[in-house]
Amino acid sequence: MSAGIIEKIIGPRVSPEESAKHSFRYGTPGFMLLVARVLLLVSLFFPYWQMELQAPQYPDGLHMTAFLNHLTGDVAEIDGLNHYIGMRSLFEAAQLERTVGVFIMIAFVVMLEFAAYIHTRWTVLLVAPVVFFPVVFLVDLHLWMRHFGLNLDPHAPLSNAVKPFVPTAIGKGGIGQFVTIATPGTGLIMAAVASIMLVVALFFHRRAYLPLVKQKRAAAETPAAN
Amino acid sequence: MTMKRSRLHPLSVSLATLMMCGLATTAQSQSMRDVESLAKERGLTTADLMAAAKTYLPSGELDEYLMFASGGHAGQVFVVGLPSMRLLRSIAVFTPESWQGWGFGVGNEILEEGFPEGKANLWGDTHHPALSETKGDYDGEWLFINDKINARVAVIDLRDWETKQIIKNPLTLSDHGGTFVTPNTEYVIEGGQYAVPWGSDYAPISDYKEEYKGSVTLWKFDRNRGRIDKDQSFAIELPPYWQDLSDAGKLASDGFFFMNSLNTELATGGIQDKKPPFEAGASRNATDFLHIIDWRKAEEVYKAGKVEQIKGFPVITLKTAIAEGLLHVTPEPRSPHGVDVAPKGDFIVVSGKLDPHVTIYSMDKIKKAIANKTFSGNDEFGVPILDFDSVVEARIEVGLGPLHTQYGPDGYAYTSLYLDSAVARWTMGGTYGSLTPEPDWTLVQKTPVHYNVGHIAAAEGDTVSPDGKYLVSLNKWSVDRFVQTGPLMPQNLQLLDISEQGTTMPVLYDMAMGVGEPHYAQIIKADKLNSWAVYPETGWDPHVQNIEPMAPKKGMERVQRNDDGSVDIYMTAIRSHFNPEHIYLKQGDTVRWHITNTERAVDATHGFAVPVYNITASLEPGETVTIKFDADTPGTFPFYCSEFCSALHLEMMGYLMVEPAE
């Protein structure tokens, strides 16, 4: 019974001879899923997002870099400045996300591992969360920045000069004497490339295995008709 | 090209304008025509505009060279950027300085190390800075400077530009022949000046010849510790002449150093008793003695233990120095001033001061004369006198009052002329001769300076590889060069362009120095320094150049009352608050107030100032200091940050409340 469900989920198998004969057809989806996995793993070591703050008294600018699991750069200095406008410490932001980020990424890689093995539409279910990950990251970032920017301490020293605001998650913004330039990091770009590869992989996946699934279904239906 | 002070020729101007118009790209559409009309309006010549173009640095552009100048009786060191001639920093050394908090909370222990006889002497007379050297070239790591008034030497670390050590000479009370360093900074040398009995003990001046001593001290420098190591240092006794300026040999003269002297007459003055005053008695003889000292040999003698402990300090006595053959003298024009070793170490140039010549000695000839014992006799203390004619290479008449000589990279030497108020350029001979178009050992130019030039400093002009380019004339009088500033007038530091061969070396800039009297200065290429922008880590103790484990840390601020009744305050400073802000003490408490500036941003310096208790400290980013005092005065004392550190600077304060004793 359960073996039947598993078989139904993982879908038709391709014989090694057939696979060797049509190596492009059957190799491409798996290969692209592999590349996506590598990209996601490597992205862990690269920044996902960075912000540069430019102001007259900081000729080299202030820099903040967010990795999936930690913040680096002039965060203490930026926090020090933020206390004038009553913004909470950036270290308090997205603590859960930074704690679980790496595990989620590992889970994604495992999911893609399975996705490569499954030859039915269930693959989509495993791939989709990974595809949407970069968008989810940016939305989450935006929500945190919105939350921090709109909840300034009304008694802060500069509360007259700086009203609550929504910092820009990607692009150019400004606050006080600072111009802020927020850009996606190499890690996020890798994840986005992985997303595109996954969509393309799904296309090739469908092209390779849908005929097999249909064939199998047709084969299953034929004896019933007899 | 020559740069006469000619009025702008209309044709040349229009030609220049035509050529430059294409280059004028500023937003305001300014052109060289505007420059021309402004120049005309202000009466500026082409030479003036050239001088401005050579020295002007647009905002944000950095100087190419740094000049470390002594501050004279300001007791400090001044650092000036070249070619802009902007004063960049003062470095407090012997004199308390409230901006740096020096002596008001920071550096107190270092100042105390140097108190002569334990008496608080809170000023110094800095004369001769010496940058540390490696293979005879500045390495940009350390700076040493003497204090003439109390015979002290200070060590400054050029990572954070702070004084780290002041050492008092145990033997003598005035120094002028220092500081200068041996080619790898093995020793920092300090030559005494006015002879005194050992340790400046009492002796009537009638006992001058017997009891008064000359000396030179070789301070061993420990680079790893960044300190002079007194336990490996020693002195050499010299005749009670007034030893004067000195210089270390290098390359051809490596292992030797040279000291001028005056008062070889052993004059003891006494104008009040109708005896000739010092100025007459000490300049009676036609010649004085150039001291030639073999310091490597002296080091061997010291290490062999052939020393006498005088005032607890090892001294190679004059007798031993003569017997070991490490001290020779040779005649030099009377009351000379500078003795300056040529870049290759092959020539030693002595300036006559009262004699219009520079006298050039050959190291080769000196070595031969020592080897062959070509002596013209002994002085009255038995020091062998090398025969003048056997060691002299050349004499050049350069003008009146020659004082100090510096070198260029291209075979020229430069000598300051005090009485002529001029800087002379002359050609060298020997292997330098082929570098210049003019004949060897010839005066080629005299450029007037304003006025009464003392030392001169050329870019790296006393090293094995002089850079040329710039020369600064450190003039004693400014007279009419600046707006009248009352009867006390600034010094005038004039920048000369010596970059071109030929006969001109125009004055480019006058810098007023209204804070002290620089004597000698050294000019180093700015990129040789490795200055810190902030202290390497938070909780840094500059005195030991390391993390202070007990430094106050964020989250651990407290006031701690100890069992012995003393109080430790652990405080942090960051924009824009001290923590804690309320300090309660009891009258009579012994207080150690530790503060760490936890900032990491460049230039985020905080001050810490307490009224009545005479406390001010400069806390640079990362720095931790400990200020000690007794809370002897009860009251309420608002303390505050004395640097305008932020928009909430005024709010960065706290209250010290000292409760009266019952």
Side-chain angles (χ1 to χ4, degrees):
Chain A
M1 167 75 186
S2 66
I5 290 174
I6 290 170
E7 202 176 299
K8 207 166 184 187
I9 291 172
I10 65 171
R13 299 293 89 189
V14 181
S15 69
E17 300 83 50
E18 187 72 5
S19 176
K21 202 171 154 194
H22 302 285
S23 62
F24 179 78
R25 170 187 290 241
Y26 296 113
T28 305
F31 174 74
M32 295 190 85
L33 283 167
L34 177 71
V35 172
R37 289 204 296 276
V38 171
L39 277 171
L40 289 173
L41 275 180
V42 173
S43 81
L44 284 176
F45 301 97
F46 287 89
Y48 262 65
W49 179 78
Q50 53 233 349
M51 182 182 260
E52 183 184 349
L53 294 93
Q54 299 171 340
Q57 54 273 71
Y58 296 94
D60 297 331
L62 290 172
H63 299 267
M64 175 166 57
T65 305
F67 289 75
L68 211 51
N69 61 343
H70 67 289
L71 286 174
T72 61
D74 306 310
V75 187
E77 183 68 18
I78 293 166
D79 270 350
L81 295 166
N82 280 346
H83 98 272
Y84 290 113
I85 60 168
M87 189 183 280
R88 284 157 60 198
S89 168
L90 295 173
F91 287 113
E92 291 173 22
Q95 277 175 330
L96 176 71
E97 288 90 325
R98 278 184 277 133
T99 312
V100 302
V102 174
F103 298 106
I104 286 179
M105 193 53 77
I106 290 167
F108 281 174
V109 169
V110 173
M111 280 157 71
L112 294 183
E113 192 84 47
F114 280 117
Y117 192 68
I118 292 171
H119 296 162
T120 64
R121 63 179 59 177
W122 290 100
T123 297
V124 178
L125 205 63
L126 288 171
V127 171
V130 190
V131 169
F132 289 113
F133 171 69
V135 176
V136 171
F137 176 90
L138 285 173
V139 169
D140 185 60
L141 179 75
H142 169 73
L143 290 176
W144 273 110
M145 292 182 80
R146 186 185 151 84
H147 177 62
F148 267 53
L150 292 182
N151 289 286
L152 302 180
D153 178 356
H155 301 296
L158 279 175
S159 55
N160 280 349
V162 176
K163 298 296 173 200
F165 68 110
V166 181
T168 329
I170 295 287
K172 205 166 170 181
I175 177 67
Q177 80 270 41
F178 284 92
V179 171
T180 61
I181 298 164
T183 45
T186 315
L188 186 61
I189 291 167
M190 284 176 168
V193 171
S195 294
I196 294 165
M197 297 210 74
L198 289 175
V199 172
V200 177
L202 284 179
F203 170 77
F204 282 110
H205 185 275
R206 186 183 150 89
R207 206 174 74 168
Y209 298 115
L210 187 60
L212 296 186
V213 172
K214 278 185 176 163
Q215 220 172 57
K216 203 176 171 186
R217 203 181 292 154
E221 279 164 8
T222 310
N226 282 345
Chain B
M1 77 184 256
T2 57
M3 281 193 288
K4 294 180 201 132
R5 284 179 68 89
S6 60
R7 291 283 145 188
L8 295 168
H9 189 279
L11 185 67
S12 72
V13 167
S14 52
L15 209 64
T17 311
L18 207 66
M19 279 155 51
M20 298 302 284
C21 267
L23 300 174
T25 54
T26 52
Q28 295 80 19
S29 73
Q30 289 171 331
S31 72
M32 288 307 287
R33 204 183 296 277
D34 298 307
V35 177
E36 176 202 343
S37 65
L38 184 62
K40 266 194 182 139
E41 194 182 308
R42 294 193 58 204
L44 300 175
T45 64
T46 320
D48 295 335
L49 293 181
M50 280 299 285
K54 285 176 183 176
T55 54
Y56 175 71
L57 285 186
S59 180
E61 294 287 312
L62 305 183
D63 282 303
E64 188 184 2
Y65 286 92
L66 291 172
M67 177 166 74
F68 288 86
S70 65
H73 36 306
Q76 302 177 348
V77 167
F78 297 117
V79 190
V80 176
L82 263 64
S84 73
M85 297 303 279
R86 296 179 292 197
L87 175 63
L88 302 177
R89 260 295 295 268
S90 71
I91 303 173
V93 188
F94 298 103
T95 305
E97 200 282 319
S98 48
W99 172 52
Q100 293 155 82
W102 192 248
F104 298 102
V106 296
N108 295 43
E109 292 88 351
I110 297 169
L111 283 166
E112 281 162 22
E113 277 175 46
F115 285 171
E117 315 281 331
K119 284 174 88 77
N121 271 245
L122 293 171
W123 71 286
D125 190 12
T126 56
H127 273 241
H128 306 120
L131 288 158
S132 59
E133 293 180 12
T134 300
K135 293 180 180 167
D137 210 356
Y138 302 151
D139 55 37
E141 291 186 358
W142 305 92
L143 181 75
F144 310 96
I145 194 152
N146 72 315
D147 163 35
K148 171 172 158 157
I149 184 67
N150 278 306
R152 297 180 290 182
V153 171
V155 179
I156 297 162
D157 190 332
L158 292 180
R159 287 173 295 182
D160 66 347
W161 298 40
E162 273 195 16
T163 303
K164 301 300 170 194
Q165 184 183 25
I166 294 176
I167 197 155
K168 169 76 196 88
N169 194 306
L171 300 170
T172 187
L173 210 48
S174 68
D175 65 29
H176 197 250
T179 53
F180 60 99
V181 297
T182 51
N184 287 303
T185 321
E186 295 94 340
Y187 290 98
V188 181
I189 302 178
E190 180 194 19
Q193 185 157 55
Y194 303 124
V196 286
W198 287 131
S200 204
D201 287 349
Y202 173 78
I205 201 158
S206 49
D207 297 346
Y208 186 88
K209 195 179 160 187
E210 299 74 29
E211 294 298 324
Y212 287 49
K213 308 289 180 185
S215 68
V216 59
T217 303
L218 286 80
W219 296 110
K220 181 79 187 167
F221 184 61
D222 181 342
R223 257 185 213 261
N224 293 330
R225 285 181 53 239
R227 296 287 189 281
I228 283 170
D229 184 354
K230 196 176 176 185
D231 294 336
Q232 290 193 65
S233 305
F234 63 98
I236 305 168
E237 181 192 349
L238 298 173
Y241 311 142
W242 297 347
Q243 281 77 25
D244 199 51
L245 278 154
S246 312
D247 197 8
K250 51 200 171 221
L251 302 176
S253 49
D254 187 28
F256 287 83
F257 64 86
F258 309 91
M259 307 181 77
N260 282 336
S261 64
L262 45 149
N263 197 19
T264 49
E265 297 85 349
L266 304 179
T268 54
I271 192 169
Q272 74 288 345
D273 299 324
K274 306 270 185 270
K275 290 177 186 166
F278 280 111
E279 64 167 311
S283 55
R284 202 174 58 239
N285 295 351
T287 56
D288 282 305
F289 287 129
L290 170 66
H291 296 43
I292 299 156
I293 296 170
D294 184 335
W295 67 262
R296 285 202 203 279
K297 203 175 258 186
E299 186 181 47
E300 282 167 27
V301 169
Y302 158 66
K303 285 188 173 158
K306 294 179 210 169
V307 290
E308 230 175 74
Q309 294 292 328
I310 297 170
K311 299 289 169 189
F313 195 73
V315 179
I316 299 173
T317 62
L318 187 52
K319 217 174 122 186
T320 309
I322 296 166
E324 296 286 341
L326 59 87
L327 170 66
H328 294 85
V329 295
T330 193
E332 60 183 355
R334 74 175 106 183
S335 300
H337 213 44
V339 50
D340 299 287
V341 179
K344 294 175 192 168
D346 42 2
F347 298 116
I348 297 103
V349 177
V350 170
S351 298
K353 193 163 86 179
L354 302 178
D355 175 297
H357 296 89
V358 285
T359 305
I360 297 113
Y361 299 84
S362 153
M363 192 61 214
D364 218 25
K365 292 181 180 177
I366 288 172
K367 280 184 177 168
K368 275 188 195 131
I370 292 173
N372 301 332
K373 298 191 189 304
T374 319
F375 302 148
S376 56
N378 291 25
D379 77 348
E380 56 187 300
F381 297 90
V383 183
I385 304 170
L386 301 179
D387 177 53
F388 178 76
D389 293 327
S390 312
V391 294
V392 78
E393 178 77 20
R395 300 191 77 205
I396 309 169
E397 187 168 338
V398 288
L400 294 179
L403 293 189
H404 303 282
T405 298
Q406 293 272 293
Y407 301 93
D410 46 3
Y412 291 111
Y414 303 86
T415 300
S416 55
L417 304 172
Y418 181 84
L419 298 175
D420 277 351
S421 279
V423 174
R425 175 190 252 175
W426 48 272
T427 60
M428 302 216 285
T431 54
Y432 309 95
S434 58
L435 297 171
T436 57
E438 299 90 351
D440 293 358
W441 309 124
T442 310
L443 174 69
V444 293
Q445 164 72 6
K446 270 163 77 169
T447 297
V449 292
H450 313 89
Y451 304 89
N452 291 1
V453 52
H455 278 273
I456 50 176
E460 312 218 340
D462 61 1
T463 69
V464 293
S465 63
D467 285 6
K469 292 187 186 178
Y470 303 114
L471 182 144
V472 175
S473 173
L474 297 110
N475 307 321
K476 303 295 178 187
W477 286 13
S478 59
V479 191
D480 61 354
R481 293 291 111 173
F482 306 111
V483 170
Q484 191 55 254
T485 59
L488 181 61
M489 296 189 191
Q491 313 285 308
N492 185 13
L493 274 52
Q494 281 184 307
L495 181 70
L496 275 68
D497 178 2
I498 58 165
S499 58
E500 288 168 59
Q501 278 200 343
T503 55
T504 59
M505 29 182 197
V507 171
L508 300 179
Y509 197 82
D510 284 21
M511 178 203 178
M513 180 71 93
V515 278
E517 184 198 352
H519 291 266
Y520 190 37
Q522 286 183 330
I523 300 170
I524 181 173
K525 196 90 190 297
D527 62 15
K528 283 189 175 179
L529 269 77
N530 289 304
S531 291
W532 289 333
V534 297
Y535 279 105
E537 288 178 62
T538 305
W540 193 268
D541 178 358
H543 190 40
V544 293
Q545 295 292 39
N546 211 333
I547 290 277
E548 164 54 53
M550 294 297 288
K553 291 175 188 65
K554 191 180 175 206
M556 294 172 72
E557 298 90 346
R558 65 198 184 277
V559 178
Q560 179 182 305
R561 196 160 274 283
N562 304 310
D563 292 341
D564 64 359
S566 64
V567 178
D568 282 291
I569 300 161
Y570 293 90
M571 177 182 266
T572 57
I574 191 159
R575 281 162 291 167
S576 308
H577 59 266
F578 293 107
N579 185 7
E581 289 182 331
H582 298 164
I583 308 290
Y584 281 100
L585 295 174
K586 292 192 167 63
Q587 185 181 8
D589 281 345
T590 301
V591 185
R592 286 178 296 272
W593 197 316
H594 317 271
I595 316 172
T596 304
N597 177 351
T598 58
E599 302 277 3
R600 298 310 292 156
V602 174
D603 216 357
T605 295
H606 292 293
F608 172 70
V610 187
V612 178
Y613 281 95
N614 194 34
I615 291 168
T616 176
S618 171
L619 304 161
E620 287 107 58
E623 180 174 0
T624 193
V625 301
T626 296
I627 298 159
K628 296 171 190 161
F629 65 96
D630 292 326
D632 49 14
T633 309
T636 301
F637 308 101
F639 59 83
Y640 61 85
C641 171
S642 48
E643 284 264 340
F644 205 118
C645 59
S646 69
L648 288 169
H649 153 72
L650 290 179
E651 289 78 358
M652 187 165 175
M653 64 84 65
Y655 282 98
L656 164 64
M657 292 151 285
V658 182
E659 192 185 335
E662 318 263 307

